[in-house]
Amino acid sequence: MKFFKKKYYITTPIYYASGKPHIGHAYTSILADTFAKYKRLFGHKVFLLSGLDEHGQKINDKAKSSNMEPQDFVDQISSNFKILWDELGIFFDGFVRTTDQNHTLVVQNVFSNFYKNEDIYLDVWKGLYCVQCEENYKEKDAIHGDDGELLCKIGHKLVEKHEETYFFKFKKYQKWLETFFKENQNFIFPNERMKEIMNNFVNKGIDDLSITRTSMSWGVKVKENKNHVIYVWIDALFAYLTGLGYKQVNANNFNIFWEDEKTEIIHVIGKEITRFHAIYWPIMLHCMKLRLPSKIISHGWIITDKGKMSKSLGNVIDPFLYVEKYGADSLKYFLLKNIPIINDGIFTHKLFIMTYNNDLANNFGNFISRSLGLLNKYNGGIIPEINFALITDFEQNVINQAKDLIKNIDKYVSDFRFDLLLNKVMEVNSLFNKYIEETKPWMLKKENLKDRLDNFLNIVANLARILIFSVSPILSNGSEIAKKQFNFLNLCNVDSILDFSTLNNHKVDISKPIYQRLSIEK
């Protein structure tokens, strides 16, 4: 396949290191990692970054309650995140922590430059504060609880606050941001999230933002005023730059993946943090005279049949448990197929088992097993040479749909519509199984139609290769097993995937089940 190769810089959020990683962390990282793996599969150059936001009052308080120093606490949390990524088969090109010395120095210098350029001023914040969200609130934006308490937008108690702080002049750049959004209407995907940002924030007027704290010490200190530490949300955003080596001795990755206008820069985040990435981050980059990201992918929430996950409802989904019991493939596949990024998606155990059985065991695994069985039964495990002149109209239709799948993968991936991609894969996979049923190779053998049987066996092997290729970034473990059974380790690549003759006279191994059916009780 011929196509123009590109460069991509893709990031997860800089996750807040206040506790054990949950299913939301897993989902966002799986989205970013799957995008990266598909792009690499087609020969593109990719840098995948993740990291941890390790500062702030909440982390300081949690460390104290655990009788730990803050640094020891975040070291432990960092280890837990890395364990989950390893178990999910996610390997980042860069992993940045906001406690890294290089990151701290860069953030301090950037803050100083903002101050010198008069984008920052010192004043006093009077209002309400949410410790859980590390966010200031005005009383008009608070929610009134049943007992009269003032709550943040997600229900945490707010406390009164009166504090000296540095403010960033975000209001000054209102018109610039409006113009940018008008000229880049696809900057935030899906479009509904752009509408929310416009209606809830931009159209109401952007306020200057308090960007330092004096009530705590666990954070990046302002060089000019050591009583102030930089607000965690400002601190964390710059990890997207420092993780590439910005203003460091080795800035090669920054030059390649940020400075080069040909590189596509994509931030993958949850919808609850869109404001920070869509308003404050572009304005600060503009002030630094740096290019802006190409796109922000803002996905919805994972909810259960009981509603949004919470410890009090007892419906929190543990990704470690699902990986341990059912394997990384099954969790990644379920999340990508059943949780579309355009809206919230439901996760139930029953739906998880049904998806696993219907798609992985009955469809994908069944076709791989049947194909290998037929090759071994009717031709001693050797893939016969294909005779294109003998291909029937039905076979040509099956082949065309298989090739169209490969040709359209990049469109699905570029739009982050993995749900649509996997629906299409399963549709084509079902057609492949139908091809076996309707061709009836056992009858071709019985009637001694060797040429027809040889063509069938070659086509079946190539369909299996296309199927394996199309899901390999998601079903990493299962596709590797399938490749080994077919001896496809060096044959399942973009250069040869559509050339059926490349499998002529290739020897396959025997079939062993890849995905065993599960019972709903498990």
Side-chain angles (χ1 to χ4, degrees):
M1 291 174 64
K2 300 290 184 182
F3 57 91
F4 177 70
K5 294 185 180 181
K6 296 177 64 177
K7 290 188 296 181
Y8 295 90
Y9 175 44
I10 182 165
T11 72
T12 73
I14 308 303
Y15 298 115
Y16 199 49
S18 60
K20 184 180 178 182
H22 54 66
I23 195 70
H25 297 123
Y27 176 57
T28 312
S29 296
I30 288 167
L31 281 172
D33 175 66
T34 304
F35 179 94
K37 281 179 172 146
Y38 271 111
K39 291 299 181 181
R40 291 190 184 110
L41 188 66
F42 282 88
H44 302 295
K45 191 170 185 178
V46 181
F47 193 99
L48 176 63
L49 179 99
S50 189
L52 291 179
D53 175 5
E54 300 182 336
H55 290 134
Q57 185 67 50
K58 185 176 178 181
I59 287 175
N60 189 69
D61 291 348
K62 286 209 167 191
K64 189 175 181 180
S65 66
S66 301
N67 294 316
M68 298 175 72
E69 291 297 318
Q71 188 64 57
D72 294 333
F73 178 80
V74 294
D75 286 346
Q76 184 181 82
I77 297 298
S78 176
S79 177
N80 289 336
F81 271 84
K82 289 181 178 180
I83 289 170
L84 179 61
W85 306 152
D86 286 344
E87 291 189 1
L88 287 170
I90 296 175
F91 305 103
F92 294 104
D93 300 293
F95 189 86
V96 59
R97 299 172 61 183
T98 58
T99 52
D100 293 340
Q101 185 178 14
N102 285 339
H103 174 83
T104 296
L105 293 174
V106 169
V107 171
Q108 286 180 322
N109 290 332
V110 168
F111 186 98
S112 296
N113 288 334
F114 285 151
Y115 189 63
K116 289 174 186 175
N117 293 334
E118 298 184 346
D119 285 315
I120 290 174
Y121 61 93
L122 186 63
D123 206 333
V124 173
W125 165 262
K126 295 179 182 179
L128 302 167
Y129 183 66
C130 177
V131 176
Q132 293 291 327
C133 300
E134 306 259 5
E135 193 170 349
N136 288 330
Y137 271 81
K138 293 182 179 179
E139 188 169 348
K140 67 181 179 66
D141 298 320
I143 298 170
H144 291 268
D146 295 337
D147 56 0
E149 283 188 326
L150 294 176
L151 309 173
C152 76
K153 58 190 174 184
I154 56 176
H156 299 136
K157 183 179 178 180
L158 297 174
V159 296
E160 290 188 3
K161 184 179 177 185
H162 183 284
E163 183 178 23
E164 181 183 76
T165 182
Y166 286 91
F167 287 85
F168 195 104
K169 296 178 181 179
F170 287 114
K171 187 186 301 183
K172 173 182 173 183
Y173 296 98
Q174 167 104 23
K175 293 295 183 185
W176 172 83
L177 188 67
E178 289 174 354
T179 300
F180 172 76
F181 283 161
K182 186 175 181 180
E183 294 174 351
N184 299 272
Q185 296 186 20
N186 295 319
F187 179 63
I188 306 173
F189 182 83
N191 186 251
E192 288 73 13
R193 227 73 80 215
M194 173 67 91
K195 292 177 182 176
E196 290 169 6
I197 287 295
M198 294 301 297
N199 294 336
N200 297 336
F201 300 103
V202 178
N203 293 342
K204 291 181 179 179
I206 301 170
D207 291 326
D208 292 347
L209 183 71
S210 165
I211 61 167
T212 64
R213 305 286 184 264
T214 57
S215 55
M216 52 164 288
S217 60
W218 181 242
V220 177
K221 296 184 184 299
V222 175
K223 285 195 300 184
E224 294 81 1
N225 192 339
K226 295 295 178 65
N227 291 327
H228 287 252
V229 297
I230 298 171
Y231 177 34
V232 289
W233 260 113
I234 300 300
D235 173 11
L237 288 167
F238 288 98
Y240 296 134
L241 300 178
T242 59
L244 285 176
Y246 174 70
K247 295 295 184 182
Q248 296 167 43
V249 174
N250 184 355
N252 287 342
N253 285 326
F254 176 75
N255 295 331
I256 293 169
F257 291 100
W258 196 286
E259 289 284 80
D260 188 348
E261 292 288 340
K262 295 178 182 178
T263 300
E264 191 166 339
I265 301 172
I266 303 170
H267 295 318
V268 181
I269 60 171
K271 66 180 180 180
E272 69 278 6
I273 59 174
T274 306
R275 171 167 59 105
F276 298 97
H277 290 79
I279 295 178
Y280 307 134
W281 184 225
I283 288 174
M284 289 190 293
L285 289 170
H286 172 67
C287 292
M288 296 167 69
K289 295 181 171 54
L290 291 177
R291 65 170 294 196
L292 271 58
S294 312
K295 185 176 288 188
I296 294 171
I297 303 296
S298 174
H299 67 74
W301 289 330
I302 300 173
I303 59 178
T304 71
D305 50 356
K306 295 180 181 178
K308 191 178 177 184
M309 285 182 285
S310 72
K311 291 181 181 178
S312 60
L313 290 175
N315 63 345
V316 175
I317 298 164
D318 184 351
F320 288 99
L321 178 62
Y322 272 83
V323 172
E324 181 184 346
K325 290 187 72 173
Y326 307 110
D329 283 5
S330 59
L331 182 62
K332 290 192 290 183
Y333 183 89
F334 177 85
L335 291 174
L336 293 171
K337 186 169 188 283
N338 292 81
I339 315 290
I341 67 164
I342 59 173
N343 47 39
D344 297 342
I346 296 177
F347 189 128
T348 69
H349 185 66
K350 183 178 180 180
L351 183 58
F352 175 88
I353 298 295
M354 287 175 58
T355 300
Y356 178 98
N357 285 338
N358 292 340
D359 293 2
L360 302 189
N362 296 352
N363 211 3
F364 177 82
N366 182 44
F367 183 75
I368 296 301
S369 179
R370 293 177 79 185
S371 302
L372 284 165
L374 292 168
L375 284 161
N376 279 290
K377 182 176 181 179
Y378 294 127
N379 210 49
I382 303 294
I383 300 173
E385 293 187 14
I386 190 166
N387 185 338
F388 293 102
L390 295 178
I391 293 176
T392 67
D393 290 343
F394 176 51
E395 287 175 329
Q396 191 60 59
N397 177 57
V398 173
I399 292 169
N400 289 343
Q401 292 206 42
K403 290 185 174 182
D404 284 345
L405 170 63
I406 298 298
K407 292 173 183 176
N408 288 313
I409 283 177
D410 191 61
K411 182 182 185 305
Y412 290 119
V413 171
S414 294
D415 292 340
F416 278 79
R417 294 308 305 268
F418 299 111
D419 55 324
L420 299 182
L421 170 61
L422 291 176
N423 283 335
K424 187 63 179 178
V425 168
M426 285 301 115
E427 178 187 321
V428 172
N429 194 160
S430 296
L431 177 64
F432 294 172
N433 276 311
K434 181 181 178 182
Y435 173 57
I436 294 176
E437 294 297 330
E438 295 199 4
T439 305
K440 296 181 175 62
W442 47 90
M443 294 301 298
L444 298 179
K445 177 68 174 178
K446 184 177 180 180
E447 295 170 9
N448 202 28
L449 298 173
K450 187 177 185 307
D451 290 343
R452 286 283 313 282
L453 181 60
D454 285 351
N455 251 27
F456 165 82
L457 293 174
N458 182 286
I459 291 170
V460 159
N462 274 285
L463 296 180
R465 179 168 62 159
I466 285 172
L467 188 60
I468 295 166
F469 177 90
S470 68
V471 297
S472 58
I474 300 170
L475 303 180
S476 304
N477 297 324
S479 63
E480 281 303 302
I481 294 171
K483 285 179 192 176
K484 288 177 182 177
Q485 291 180 5
F486 275 97
N487 292 319
F488 280 168
L489 293 180
N490 297 316
L491 290 169
C492 209
N493 56 67
V494 69
D495 296 322
S496 64
I497 194 69
L498 299 183
D499 183 357
F500 280 31
S501 63
T502 55
L503 294 186
N504 289 349
N505 302 310
H506 178 75
K507 180 74 167 68
V508 302
D509 208 335
I510 60 173
S511 169
K512 295 179 182 177
I514 299 175
Y515 300 109
Q516 301 275 20
R517 278 186 60 83
L518 301 171
S519 65
I520 194 67
E521 291 78 22
K522 286 189 177 181

